[in-house]
Amino acid sequence: MTASITEIYRSSNGDRWELVRTADPERTLVRHIANQSSGGRTTDTAVEDFLKVDGPGAEFAALRRILDSTADDAQDR
């Protein structure tokens, strides 16, 4: 499985969110990596499901900015 990983956001408490794109199978996921004091658990969520939550956290706004810039880049081609 080939994957492209882009950091979405890193919180002050050490939680991280990454945008993961895989080629085989073709998927786009949001990976949340909890900080060590929270157990360090990693969870993957489909981008569509993540955006449905539309929470107040900075990670949601950061993901939308990344997706918007990716769409803009695709239109410029």
Side-chain angles (χ1 to χ4, degrees):
M1 172 176 76
T2 304
S4 166
I5 300 173
T6 304
E7 184 170 276
I8 296 170
Y9 183 75
R10 184 180 300 253
S11 71
S12 60
N13 72 358
D15 280 9
R16 294 182 328 207
W17 289 263
E18 299 173 336
L19 181 62
V20 179
R21 293 181 172 114
T22 63
D24 188 24
E26 189 173 331
R27 299 183 305 170
T28 305
L29 307 167
V30 173
R31 176 167 292 153
H32 175 244
I33 304 163
N35 64 48
Q36 289 303 313
S37 64
S38 295
R41 184 173 153 206
T42 298
T43 56
D44 289 340
T45 306
V47 167
E48 297 81 15
D49 293 338
F50 185 81
L51 290 174
K52 283 179 187 175
V53 174
D54 196 26
E59 64 275 14
F60 292 96
L63 175 60
R64 283 192 287 279
R65 280 194 301 276
I66 290 170
L67 295 175
D68 287 346
S69 70
T70 303
D72 291 344
D73 290 346
Q75 288 177 355
D76 291 342
R77 290 183 206 164

